[in-house]
Amino acid sequence: DSEEFFKGVGKIEYKPNAGPTDVLCFKHYNAKEVINGRTMEDWLRFSVVYWHTFRGVGLDPFGAPTINRPWDDGSESVENAKRRLRVAFEFFSKLGVKYWTFHDRDISPEGATLEETNRNLDEITDLAKELMAQTGVKLLWNTCNLFSHPRYMNGAATNPDAHVVAFAAAQVKKGLEVGKKLGAENFVFWGGREGYMSLLNTDVLAELTHAANFFKMAVDYKKKIGFQGQLLIEPKPKEPTRHQYDYDAMTVIGFLKHFGLADDFKINVEPNHTMLAGHPYEHDIVLASKFGMLGSVDSNTGSPDLGWDTDQFPMDVRDTTLVMKAVIEQGGLAPGGLNFDAKVRRESTNLLDMFIAHIGAMDSFARGLRCAAKLVSEGAMAKMVEDRYRSFTAGIGAKIAKGTATLEECEVWKIQMNN
Amino acid sequence: DSEEFFKGVGKIEYKPNAGPTDVLCFKHYNAKEVINGRTMEDWLRFSVVYWHTFRGVGLDPFGAPTINRPWDDGSESVENAKRRLRVAFEFFSKLGVKYWTFHDRDISPEGATLEETNRNLDEITDLAKELMAQTGVKLLWNTCNLFSHPRYMNGAATNPDAHVVAFAAAQVKKGLEVGKKLGAENFVFWGGREGYMSLLNTDVLAELTHAANFFKMAVDYKKKIGFQGQLLIEPKPKEPTRHQYDYDAMTVIGFLKHFGLADDFKINVEPNHTMLAGHPYEHDIVLASKFGMLGSVDSNTGSPDLGWDTDQFPMDVRDTTLVMKAVIEQGGLAPGGLNFDAKVRRESTNLLDMFIAHIGAMDSFARGLRCAAKLVSEGAMAKMVEDRYRSFTAGIGAKIAKGTATLEECEVWKIQMNN
Amino acid sequence: DSEEFFKGVGKIEYKPNAGPTDVLCFKHYNAKEVINGRTMEDWLRFSVVYWHTFRGVGLDPFGAPTINRPWDDGSESVENAKRRLRVAFEFFSKLGVKYWTFHDRDISPEGATLEETNRNLDEITDLAKELMAQTGVKLLWNTCNLFSHPRYMNGAATNPDAHVVAFAAAQVKKGLEVGKKLGAENFVFWGGREGYMSLLNTDVLAELTHAANFFKMAVDYKKKIGFQGQLLIEPKPKEPTRHQYDYDAMTVIGFLKHFGLADDFKINVEPNHTMLAGHPYEHDIVLASKFGMLGSVDSNTGSPDLGWDTDQFPMDVRDTTLVMKAVIEQGGLAPGGLNFDAKVRRESTNLLDMFIAHIGAMDSFARGLRCAAKLVSEGAMAKMVEDRYRSFTAGIGAKIAKGTATLEECEVWKIQMNN
Amino acid sequence: DSEEFFKGVGKIEYKPNAGPTDVLCFKHYNAKEVINGRTMEDWLRFSVVYWHTFRGVGLDPFGAPTINRPWDDGSESVENAKRRLRVAFEFFSKLGVKYWTFHDRDISPEGATLEETNRNLDEITDLAKELMAQTGVKLLWNTCNLFSHPRYMNGAATNPDAHVVAFAAAQVKKGLEVGKKLGAENFVFWGGREGYMSLLNTDVLAELTHAANFFKMAVDYKKKIGFQGQLLIEPKPKEPTRHQYDYDAMTVIGFLKHFGLADDFKINVEPNHTMLAGHPYEHDIVLASKFGMLGSVDSNTGSPDLGWDTDQFPMDVRDTTLVMKAVIEQGGLAPGGLNFDAKVRRESTNLLDMFIAHIGAMDSFARGLRCAAKLVSEGAMAKMVEDRYRSFTAGIGAKIAKGTATLEECEVWKIQMNN
C-alpha cells in the first residue's frame, strides 16, 4: 500500500499570487489562517464524497461511461474496492481535506446474501479505519444507499412492499454500526425514491407513517448501541422520483414535528436541491439554520436553467458568501461540514480535473468565508435588520411578539393612533 | 333594485344536446341530478368570487384596464358599491350558483379612518344580507385584503413594523364579525405578502412567530364571538412576494403543527398555486385531504408553461376528475366548496364572457364529477391500491405499520427470508 | 423463427364496451373505421420505437436496471439481436401498428471496426427486411445514434474534434444506405449532444457552421443514392446537454433558413421537448405546421412539473386532440407518423405493460382524432378565427397583409378615422 | 428650471476606499480610467431609463402604488411632464451617465387625437433637446409604447384588427421622427403583446407576416427621413403574453432571415428575458454577438427562482463579467450601450434608493469590466478554446469547416484511421 497513484501531484499548497494557468494550488484557501477567531479549516470543515469522486464513471441517461481510472479494474471485487480506498486516502491527503463521506454500497461490493454483504463491508471498513488513523482524515458522515438496487425502485422506508422496508431497516442497522465503528460525526438519510410517481397508486399517509416508524427504529438503535453521530435528513424535491416527500427544509421540519421526531434529526441541506424546489439558492440554509435545524451542507451547485440535479462544484462567490454568512451566524457547522457532493463533468475525463475541481470549490468557499466574515464583522447589515424590527420591542409590538395581544387590543390601539 | 343588468340572459338551463355555438346553457351540469347518492349541486358547491368577477378591470403589469362594465361608474362611492352588489346577485342567480366569496375591500370602499371604513362595510353587508335572503345565495367564505394597500407592502401579520401587524389584526377582527353576521361557512387567510423579497433584510423566525401569534388572536376572537366558520389558510409559493411562507400544503401543515395551531385551521387549496410550487396539479388536494386538512378548493387553473398566477377558469376534465375523486373519497367538501377564483382574460371584454367562462368551468367540473364517480364506483383502482399495500397487514409488515418493529427484528426477518 | 414470445396475447381487438379491468383491447381505436374521409389507421400512422421498447432496461441516473425480458440474454451478440428483432415484429403485429423506427446501434451490435459494425448492421437489416415483408410493417424512419458512445460526449456534427465529426459522417452515410434498403419513409437527426455545457469553452458559430455542413453532406449523399425518405430534425432544448442548438421548432427553422437548408428538411416534433423549451404542449406542432415544416410527431408526453424528459405514453385527450386538429388541418402527416418515443416506467416491470401502455396511448389518440374531427367538421372554431382577421381583406388591412402599405399611409388613414 | 430636486445629493464621485455605509459614491466605477485601451465610460456606455425611474409607481398585480415623488403631482398634464423631465436630467447629471432612453408615452401625455398626442410629444421633446444640449446627456434609444393602451391588448403589429396595426404604424412613424430629432443612436422594438394567449384563436403565420411587413415599413421610412439610428428588436419569451414571437435571440434571427430583414436590425438583449426563455444568463448575449447581431444590452437581472420579469438592478459580478467579456470580444457595444431597464423594488420608497440602486449596478459593471479585461488580456482562456478546435485547421477537418467534404470522404478517412 505504499504505491502512489497521483504521481507528479504533491500536497496542494497555498500560493496566493499564482497565475491563471497554475491550477494545482490554492489561491484563496489557507487552512491555518485565522478568520474571525478560527482557522479557515475549522470554519469550512471540507469533506470529499466517495461516490462521485471514486465511483463516478460519467454515465448519463443518454450515454455510456466516459471515465476510466487507471487503478480501477472495473470489477466488483473486494480487492478492487480496497485499491480504490487507498487511492481515495492519497487524494484526501494531497488535497488537504480533513473529512470524507460514503454510502455503504460505494465502498464495498454487495454479496449474494446480507451476511456476505456485511462481511465485505466489515473487511473494507477495517481498511478504512486503518487509513483514517494513518492520515488523520475523519468520517463526516456515512449513509446507506437505499435507492440504486432494483428492490428499492418503489422506495425503501416508503416501499409499498413491507419486506423491502424490512430489508432497508436491516441495511440501516449495519450502517449505524459502521458509523459507530468509524467514529462518524453524522449519519445521513437521503430518500431519493421515498415519494411517488403517481398519486393514483399511492397511499401517501401510510407511506409517511412507515417512514416515521422507520426513523424511530433508527433513533432507538442508535441510542442502544451508543452511536454518537447526529442523524440528518437531506431534502430533495424530485428526481429520480416525481415527487419526493422530503421536498425542502420546511417540509422536513413539518414532517419531523408531526411525527414527534424533531429532537433527533437535523437537516443536511444541498442548495442545488433547494433551487430545484423553486427557492433561492440560500433559502433552505437560512430557514433550517433559523429553526435550529441546519446540521450540515452538501456544498455543490447546479444551473438554474436546468431542471435536474447536476452536482456541480460550487464556484460562485456570491453563493458561498451566503452559505458562510449563515454558518458564521450560527457559530459554525460542527459536527456538520461542507461536503462536496459534486462530480467532474462527464466530458472532464482528465485525472487532474479531480484535483482542479476540488481546488476551485475550496477556493470559492475560502473567498465566501472571507466575504462573509467581513460582512459580519462590519455589522452594518445586522444593524439594519435590527432597526427594521425595532417596533416589536415595546408597546403593542412587544405584546404581539410575546403572543399576549388580542384582536380587540389591536383595534383599540389602531383607533387611538388613527384619530 | 328591480333593475335588470344582464338583459337578454335568463336563468342558465341544462341542455345536454345543445350545439357548439349555443354557449349560454349547461351541457353537463344538471344541478339536481343525483350522482353517487347526492345531487351534483351538493357535491360541487360552486361559488363565484366577487373580486375578479365584479372588480376586475383587466389591468396587468404592462397595460391599462380594458374592462368597463356598464353599471360601474368607476367611483369609490358606497352607491356604486351597492349597485355592483345587486349586479352580482343577479349574476349568481342567473348562473345558478349557491355560494359567493369576497374580500372586505372588494365589496366596500375604504374610508379616511378605520371607523368610517367599518361603517361603509356595515352598510354594504346589510345590503348583502338582504340580497342573500332574497336569492338564497350563501357566503362560502369571506376574507380580508391584507396585501393591496401600500401599508401592507412588507406583509401584514409578518410585517417588520408592529403597527402594521396591529392594523391588520383590527381588520381581521372586523372580518370575523362580518363572517358571523353573514353566516360565512369559512374564513380564509391568503398571505400574499407574508414572506420575503430578500433573506438579507428578513428575520424569518421572528416573522413566522408573529404570524402564529396573529393566527392565535384570530382563533381566540372567533371563539369569543361564536363565529362558526372554519378557518382556512390558502398556500401559494410566491407572487407577489419572492417567497411566501405558506408555500404549499405540507409547509402550512408543518407550520400549524410547529405552532400548535393544527386543530383550528384547514387548508384552502388552489391547484394553480400548487403548480407554481413545482408539484403536480392534484398534489396539494390529495396531500391535504389525506392529512384531514382539505377544507376548500379554489377551483381555477393556470398554464404550466407560465411562471405566474393566471387564475384561469378550469376547463380540463382530467384535472377536474382528479379533484372530484379526492372530494368523493373524503366524503364531500362541506363546509368548503369549489370557489371560482378565476377571471376572464384581459382581452375578453364582452359582458357575456362572464357567463360563458363560468358555464364552461361548471360543465368541466360536472364532467369531472361524473368521471370520478364512475372511477370510485367501479372500484378497480381502489382495489389495485389496496393490493399494493397488502403486505403491511401481517407479520413484520404489520409491526412496521404499527411502529412496534425494531431494526434488529427486521434484520432477523431478512436473514431468515434470504437464506 | 416460428417461436411465439408473447404467449397468451393474441391480436389486440377493438372492444368498445369492455370494462375497466379488461386492458388488452382497444376501446376507442378502430383501425378501419372511417373518420372525415380516411381510416383511423391512415390518419394516425402509429409507429413503435425499438430503443425504449426492446432495449430499455429501466436504468436511471440513480438506479440499476430493473427490466429483464425473458428472450434477452443480455449479450451484445448478433444472435441476441436477431431474437429481439423477431420479438419486436411479433409485438408490432399483435398490437396492429403499421410502422416501426430504430437507431442503428439499437438493432445491431457495434463491432471492433467500422467495417465489422456495418457488416453486423447488414446482417440484422437483412432479417428486418424479411420480417417487414412477412408482416407488412413498414419503416417510418431510422436514425443514427450519435450521442451514446463516449466518442460523442462533446457532440457529433458539432464536436470540437473534427475527427469525431468525420466518424459521425461515416455513420450517417451507412444510415442513409440502410434507410434506402428498408424503404424508410423518413430519416431523423436528433442532436442530443449538439450544443454546449459552457459557453466559456465553446465557439458556437464554428459549431453551427460545422452542423450545417454536416447536413449538406447528408442531403448530397441522399440525392446521390436516390434515397427517397424525408430528412427530419428533432428539436430539444436541453438534456443531456445544457443547451442544445435545436432548441425548438422556430430555432431549427431559423437555422435552416440561415444556412440555406430549409428546402431539404422538415421537423420531427416531440411535444415533451416543446414543454421543456417553455412552450405550451401544442406550440411546436402548430408553428411547424403553419410554416409547412411539420414532418412527423414523436407522440409521447411528460410531466409539466418535471424538468427532464420522461418519455411517457400520451394519455391526455386534450393533448391528443390538439395534435390531431393540426394534423387534420394540414391534410395528414404522411410521410410522417405518430411515433411512440415512449417507455414504460422503470417500476413497470410486467411484460404485459408493454401492450397496455401502447394500447392506452393508441386509444388516447383515437379519442383525440374523434374530437378533432368533430371540431373541424363543425367549423365553428374556424369561423371565429376567420372573422377575427377579416379586417385584413380590404382597405389599409389588405395593403398591410400584402406588404404594400407605408407608415405615411397608415398615419393618414389613422388621422382620417380618428377625426 | 434652476430648481434643484435632489437637494443634498451632489455629483456622485469615485471613492474606492469608502466604507459599507457610505453609499452615495462609486467604489469601483471610475469613468475616465483607461482599461484595455479605452475609458470605462466608453466601454460601459451606461444609460438610465425614463419609464421605471421617473414613471414607476410601485404598482404590482396585487397592490396599489407605493411610490410618490415630491415633484410629481400625479396629473397627465404637459406641465407635470416637463417638471419630471427636468428632474430626470438632474438625476442623469448627478449620477454621471451619458445616455438615457424613453418610450413615447412615458415622457409625454396622450391627447384626445393623434395630432394632439403628437403636439404634446413635440413640445416635450423640444425641452428634452434643450436639456440634452445643456447637460451633454445623449439619447441611446427611444421606442414606442405599443402595449399599454387597451387598443393594443391583442398586439400592435400582430393585432388581428388591421386598424390597430395601422394605428401602431402611425405611432412608429412619429417615433422615428422623434429619434431623428433627438439624435437617437438606436430605435428599439419590444413586442410585449406580439404573440398569442391561445393558439386556438390565432393565425400565427398571418401575424408574423404582418409583423415583417410592419418592420419593412419602418425600415423604409427610416431611410426616407435619413434617421441614422440602428433598429433593434428586444426578445422576450412571454409576459404579459403567454407566448411572445420574439422568444429569444435565435428566434429573432430566424425571423429576420426568413423575412429578409436581417441586414436592417440588430438585437437588444435583456438577460433577464434570456433566463425566462430557459437559457443561461449570458446565452443571448453570446449568441447574438457571435452572429454579429448584438446591438445593445438592457443590463438588468432577475431571480432564477421566479417565473416573471422583475427588472432588478444587476449586482452579480459573475454576470457582469460575462457580459463585458462578450462586449470586449466584439470590440465594444457602440452605438448600443448598457441600459438600466431596472426599477427599485416596490418597497424601496426612499428617494435616495434611486441613486443607490444605480450606483450599485454601475459598480457591479465596473467590476465586471475589470474582471473581463483581465481574462481577455491574460489570454489563457482564449488559448484553450483555440486549441480545442485546432483539428479543423487541416485535413478532413479543414474540408468539413469549409463545407467541401462528403460523407464518402469521411468514411474513407475513418476506415483508414481505424484500421
Side-chain angles (χ1 to χ4, degrees), chain B residues 375-403:
Chain B
L375 274 180
V376 169
S377 64
E378 283 175 351
M381 194 174 277
K383 170 129 200 333
M384 281 196 290
V385 176
E386 199 187 329
D387 289 348
R388 198 167 181 242
Y389 293 89
R390 194 170 306 283
S391 60
F392 287 97
T393 57
I396 190 78
K399 296 190 85 171
I400 291 169
K402 265 177 264 164

mmCIF file of all heavy atoms in Angstrom, chain B residues 375-403:
data_model
loop_
_atom_site.group_PDB
_atom_site.id
_atom_site.type_symbol
_atom_site.label_atom_id
_atom_site.label_comp_id
_atom_site.label_asym_id
_atom_site.label_seq_id
_atom_site.Cartn_x
_atom_site.Cartn_y
_atom_site.Cartn_z
ATOM 1 N N LEU B 375 -65.168 6.138 -11.613
ATOM 2 C CA LEU B 375 -63.915 5.531 -11.120
ATOM 3 C C LEU B 375 -64.111 4.939 -9.733
ATOM 4 O O LEU B 375 -63.691 3.817 -9.445
ATOM 5 C CB LEU B 375 -62.814 6.589 -10.999
ATOM 6 C CG LEU B 375 -61.962 6.919 -12.207
ATOM 7 C CD1 LEU B 375 -60.952 7.990 -11.817
ATOM 8 C CD2 LEU B 375 -61.240 5.672 -12.706
ATOM 9 N N VAL B 376 -64.740 5.717 -8.867
ATOM 10 C CA VAL B 376 -64.909 5.294 -7.478
ATOM 11 C C VAL B 376 -65.896 4.132 -7.397
ATOM 12 O O VAL B 376 -65.656 3.140 -6.705
ATOM 13 C CB VAL B 376 -65.355 6.475 -6.592
ATOM 14 C CG1 VAL B 376 -65.787 6.001 -5.215
ATOM 15 C CG2 VAL B 376 -64.223 7.488 -6.486
ATOM 16 N N SER B 377 -66.990 4.223 -8.142
ATOM 17 C CA SER B 377 -67.987 3.147 -8.002
ATOM 18 C C SER B 377 -67.539 1.856 -8.688
ATOM 19 O O SER B 377 -67.859 0.767 -8.221
ATOM 20 C CB SER B 377 -69.361 3.617 -8.514
ATOM 21 O OG SER B 377 -69.294 3.885 -9.895
ATOM 22 N N GLU B 378 -66.763 1.963 -9.750
ATOM 23 C CA GLU B 378 -66.208 0.753 -10.352
ATOM 24 C C GLU B 378 -65.282 0.020 -9.369
ATOM 25 O O GLU B 378 -65.237 -1.206 -9.331
ATOM 26 C CB GLU B 378 -65.411 1.103 -11.614
ATOM 27 C CG GLU B 378 -66.271 1.396 -12.834
ATOM 28 C CD GLU B 378 -65.439 1.867 -14.025
ATOM 29 O OE1 GLU B 378 -64.227 2.122 -13.849
ATOM 30 O OE2 GLU B 378 -66.004 1.993 -15.123
ATOM 31 N N GLY B 379 -64.487 0.809 -8.628
ATOM 32 C CA GLY B 379 -63.666 0.219 -7.573
ATOM 33 C C GLY B 379 -62.373 -0.438 -8.019
ATOM 34 O O GLY B 379 -61.565 -0.863 -7.184
ATOM 35 N N ALA B 380 -62.135 -0.526 -9.331
ATOM 36 C CA ALA B 380 -60.948 -1.248 -9.803
ATOM 37 C C ALA B 380 -59.665 -0.582 -9.335
ATOM 38 O O ALA B 380 -58.702 -1.246 -8.927
ATOM 39 C CB ALA B 380 -60.977 -1.335 -11.333
ATOM 40 N N MET B 381 -59.653 0.744 -9.381
ATOM 41 C CA MET B 381 -58.440 1.459 -8.987
ATOM 42 C C MET B 381 -58.176 1.324 -7.482
ATOM 43 O O MET B 381 -57.044 1.079 -7.059
ATOM 44 C CB MET B 381 -58.598 2.932 -9.388
ATOM 45 C CG MET B 381 -57.312 3.689 -9.354
ATOM 46 S SD MET B 381 -57.532 5.369 -9.997
ATOM 47 C CE MET B 381 -57.418 5.086 -11.759
ATOM 48 N N ALA B 382 -59.221 1.457 -6.682
ATOM 49 C CA ALA B 382 -59.057 1.330 -5.226
ATOM 50 C C ALA B 382 -58.559 -0.071 -4.866
ATOM 51 O O ALA B 382 -57.719 -0.239 -3.973
ATOM 52 C CB ALA B 382 -60.386 1.626 -4.531
ATOM 53 N N LYS B 383 -59.051 -1.057 -5.576
ATOM 54 C CA LYS B 383 -58.617 -2.432 -5.292
ATOM 55 C C LYS B 383 -57.128 -2.612 -5.589
ATOM 56 O O LYS B 383 -56.408 -3.277 -4.831
ATOM 57 C CB LYS B 383 -59.472 -3.393 -6.129
ATOM 58 C CG LYS B 383 -59.001 -4.826 -6.143
ATOM 59 C CD LYS B 383 -60.097 -5.818 -5.803
ATOM 60 C CE LYS B 383 -59.532 -7.156 -5.360
ATOM 61 N NZ LYS B 383 -58.214 -7.506 -5.875
ATOM 62 N N MET B 384 -56.666 -2.027 -6.677
ATOM 63 C CA MET B 384 -55.243 -2.138 -7.001
ATOM 64 C C MET B 384 -54.379 -1.515 -5.913
ATOM 65 O O MET B 384 -53.332 -2.041 -5.557
ATOM 66 C CB MET B 384 -54.958 -1.464 -8.352
ATOM 67 C CG MET B 384 -55.342 -2.335 -9.542
ATOM 68 S SD MET B 384 -54.603 -1.749 -11.104
ATOM 69 C CE MET B 384 -55.537 -0.250 -11.365
ATOM 70 N N VAL B 385 -54.819 -0.369 -5.399
ATOM 71 C CA VAL B 385 -54.043 0.287 -4.341
ATOM 72 C C VAL B 385 -54.042 -0.582 -3.082
ATOM 73 O O VAL B 385 -53.003 -0.788 -2.446
ATOM 74 C CB VAL B 385 -54.592 1.699 -4.040
ATOM 75 C CG1 VAL B 385 -53.854 2.331 -2.868
ATOM 76 C CG2 VAL B 385 -54.474 2.579 -5.288
ATOM 77 N N GLU B 386 -55.196 -1.118 -2.743
ATOM 78 C CA GLU B 386 -55.281 -1.970 -1.554
ATOM 79 C C GLU B 386 -54.341 -3.170 -1.676
ATOM 80 O O GLU B 386 -53.598 -3.497 -0.742
ATOM 81 C CB GLU B 386 -56.736 -2.440 -1.405
ATOM 82 C CG GLU B 386 -57.059 -2.942 -0.018
ATOM 83 C CD GLU B 386 -58.473 -3.551 0.029
ATOM 84 O OE1 GLU B 386 -59.343 -3.066 -0.740
ATOM 85 O OE2 GLU B 386 -58.663 -4.510 0.810
ATOM 86 N N ASP B 387 -54.362 -3.805 -2.826
ATOM 87 C CA ASP B 387 -53.470 -4.951 -3.047
ATOM 88 C C ASP B 387 -52.005 -4.569 -2.927
ATOM 89 O O ASP B 387 -51.185 -5.349 -2.451
ATOM 90 C CB ASP B 387 -53.688 -5.526 -4.461
ATOM 91 C CG ASP B 387 -55.032 -6.234 -4.580
ATOM 92 O OD1 ASP B 387 -55.669 -6.471 -3.533
ATOM 93 O OD2 ASP B 387 -55.440 -6.542 -5.721
ATOM 94 N N ARG B 388 -51.716 -3.373 -3.371
ATOM 95 C CA ARG B 388 -50.314 -2.950 -3.412
ATOM 96 C C ARG B 388 -49.703 -2.877 -2.012
ATOM 97 O O ARG B 388 -48.494 -3.067 -1.839
ATOM 98 C CB ARG B 388 -50.267 -1.577 -4.090
ATOM 99 C CG ARG B 388 -48.926 -1.175 -4.610
ATOM 100 C CD ARG B 388 -49.010 0.035 -5.527
ATOM 101 N NE ARG B 388 -47.698 0.381 -6.021
ATOM 102 C CZ ARG B 388 -47.077 1.522 -5.794
ATOM 103 N NH1 ARG B 388 -47.661 2.475 -5.104
ATOM 104 N NH2 ARG B 388 -45.863 1.732 -6.259
ATOM 105 N N TYR B 389 -50.524 -2.563 -1.012
ATOM 106 C CA TYR B 389 -50.015 -2.389 0.360
ATOM 107 C C TYR B 389 -50.368 -3.567 1.257
ATOM 108 O O TYR B 389 -50.246 -3.473 2.472
ATOM 109 C CB TYR B 389 -50.561 -1.089 0.965
ATOM 110 C CG TYR B 389 -50.034 0.147 0.286
ATOM 111 C CD1 TYR B 389 -50.680 0.695 -0.814
ATOM 112 C CD2 TYR B 389 -48.853 0.742 0.724
ATOM 113 C CE1 TYR B 389 -50.185 1.817 -1.452
ATOM 114 C CE2 TYR B 389 -48.353 1.868 0.093
ATOM 115 C CZ TYR B 389 -49.021 2.394 -1.001
ATOM 116 O OH TYR B 389 -48.512 3.501 -1.619
ATOM 117 N N ARG B 390 -50.820 -4.666 0.687
ATOM 118 C CA ARG B 390 -51.340 -5.767 1.488
ATOM 119 C C ARG B 390 -50.310 -6.333 2.471
ATOM 120 O O ARG B 390 -50.658 -6.820 3.555
ATOM 121 C CB ARG B 390 -51.888 -6.872 0.576
ATOM 122 C CG ARG B 390 -52.754 -7.904 1.331
ATOM 123 C CD ARG B 390 -53.502 -8.855 0.410
ATOM 124 N NE ARG B 390 -54.297 -8.180 -0.586
ATOM 125 C CZ ARG B 390 -55.475 -7.600 -0.340
ATOM 126 N NH1 ARG B 390 -55.978 -7.618 0.889
ATOM 127 N NH2 ARG B 390 -56.128 -7.005 -1.309
ATOM 128 N N SER B 391 -49.022 -6.252 2.111
ATOM 129 C CA SER B 391 -48.001 -6.861 2.979
ATOM 130 C C SER B 391 -47.883 -6.190 4.341
ATOM 131 O O SER B 391 -47.192 -6.700 5.226
ATOM 132 C CB SER B 391 -46.647 -6.834 2.268
ATOM 133 O OG SER B 391 -46.279 -5.501 1.979
ATOM 134 N N PHE B 392 -48.547 -5.045 4.501
ATOM 135 C CA PHE B 392 -48.495 -4.385 5.815
ATOM 136 C C PHE B 392 -49.597 -4.873 6.760
ATOM 137 O O PHE B 392 -49.752 -4.336 7.848
ATOM 138 C CB PHE B 392 -48.584 -2.857 5.664
ATOM 139 C CG PHE B 392 -47.332 -2.263 5.113
ATOM 140 C CD1 PHE B 392 -47.212 -1.990 3.764
ATOM 141 C CD2 PHE B 392 -46.242 -2.012 5.942
ATOM 142 C CE1 PHE B 392 -46.048 -1.459 3.248
ATOM 143 C CE2 PHE B 392 -45.070 -1.485 5.436
ATOM 144 C CZ PHE B 392 -44.966 -1.211 4.072
ATOM 145 N N THR B 393 -50.336 -5.882 6.343
ATOM 146 C CA THR B 393 -51.447 -6.328 7.193
ATOM 147 C C THR B 393 -51.070 -7.487 8.109
ATOM 148 O O THR B 393 -51.853 -7.876 8.966
ATOM 149 C CB THR B 393 -52.649 -6.753 6.316
ATOM 150 O OG1 THR B 393 -52.210 -7.778 5.419
ATOM 151 C CG2 THR B 393 -53.199 -5.582 5.515
ATOM 152 N N ALA B 394 -49.851 -8.030 7.924
ATOM 153 C CA ALA B 394 -49.460 -9.173 8.761
ATOM 154 C C ALA B 394 -47.944 -9.199 8.926
ATOM 155 O O ALA B 394 -47.215 -8.537 8.196
ATOM 156 C CB ALA B 394 -49.943 -10.478 8.117
ATOM 157 N N GLY B 395 -47.474 -9.993 9.897
ATOM 158 C CA GLY B 395 -46.048 -10.248 10.072
ATOM 159 C C GLY B 395 -45.248 -8.998 10.351
ATOM 160 O O GLY B 395 -45.708 -8.053 10.993
ATOM 161 N N ILE B 396 -44.048 -8.972 9.781
ATOM 162 C CA ILE B 396 -43.163 -7.836 10.009
ATOM 163 C C ILE B 396 -43.796 -6.546 9.466
ATOM 164 O O ILE B 396 -43.603 -5.463 10.032
ATOM 165 C CB ILE B 396 -41.768 -8.118 9.376
ATOM 166 C CG1 ILE B 396 -40.731 -7.073 9.804
ATOM 167 C CG2 ILE B 396 -41.844 -8.173 7.844
ATOM 168 C CD1 ILE B 396 -40.200 -7.288 11.196
ATOM 169 N N GLY B 397 -44.574 -6.692 8.389
ATOM 170 C CA GLY B 397 -45.252 -5.529 7.805
ATOM 171 C C GLY B 397 -46.197 -4.877 8.791
ATOM 172 O O GLY B 397 -46.223 -3.645 8.936
ATOM 173 N N ALA B 398 -46.968 -5.674 9.481
ATOM 174 C CA ALA B 398 -47.917 -5.118 10.447
ATOM 175 C C ALA B 398 -47.187 -4.412 11.586
ATOM 176 O O ALA B 398 -47.628 -3.373 12.082
ATOM 177 C CB ALA B 398 -48.815 -6.226 10.993
ATOM 178 N N LYS B 399 -46.060 -4.982 12.000
ATOM 179 C CA LYS B 399 -45.287 -4.335 13.070
ATOM 180 C C LYS B 399 -44.719 -2.984 12.602
ATOM 181 O O LYS B 399 -44.699 -2.016 13.351
ATOM 182 C CB LYS B 399 -44.144 -5.248 13.535
ATOM 183 C CG LYS B 399 -44.635 -6.544 14.177
ATOM 184 C CD LYS B 399 -43.510 -7.313 14.846
ATOM 185 C CE LYS B 399 -43.256 -6.828 16.269
ATOM 186 N NZ LYS B 399 -42.317 -7.706 17.013
ATOM 187 N N ILE B 400 -44.222 -2.969 11.364
ATOM 188 C CA ILE B 400 -43.707 -1.696 10.829
ATOM 189 C C ILE B 400 -44.840 -0.664 10.763
ATOM 190 O O ILE B 400 -44.672 0.492 11.157
ATOM 191 C CB ILE B 400 -43.085 -1.915 9.426
ATOM 192 C CG1 ILE B 400 -41.799 -2.734 9.537
ATOM 193 C CG2 ILE B 400 -42.824 -0.578 8.731
ATOM 194 C CD1 ILE B 400 -41.242 -3.225 8.206
ATOM 195 N N ALA B 401 -45.998 -1.098 10.296
ATOM 196 C CA ALA B 401 -47.126 -0.167 10.166
ATOM 197 C C ALA B 401 -47.551 0.374 11.517
ATOM 198 O O ALA B 401 -47.937 1.543 11.650
ATOM 199 C CB ALA B 401 -48.300 -0.854 9.468
ATOM 200 N N LYS B 402 -47.488 -0.499 12.544
ATOM 201 C CA LYS B 402 -47.903 -0.057 13.880
ATOM 202 C C LYS B 402 -46.806 0.707 14.614
ATOM 203 O O LYS B 402 -47.055 1.349 15.623
ATOM 204 C CB LYS B 402 -48.292 -1.293 14.721
ATOM 205 C CG LYS B 402 -49.793 -1.591 14.703
ATOM 206 C CD LYS B 402 -50.120 -2.851 15.483
ATOM 207 C CE LYS B 402 -50.213 -4.029 14.535
ATOM 208 N NZ LYS B 402 -50.169 -5.351 15.150
ATOM 209 N N GLY B 403 -45.577 0.590 14.115
ATOM 210 C CA GLY B 403 -44.474 1.282 14.783
ATOM 211 C C GLY B 403 -43.897 0.488 15.927
ATOM 212 O O GLY B 403 -43.290 1.054 16.836
#
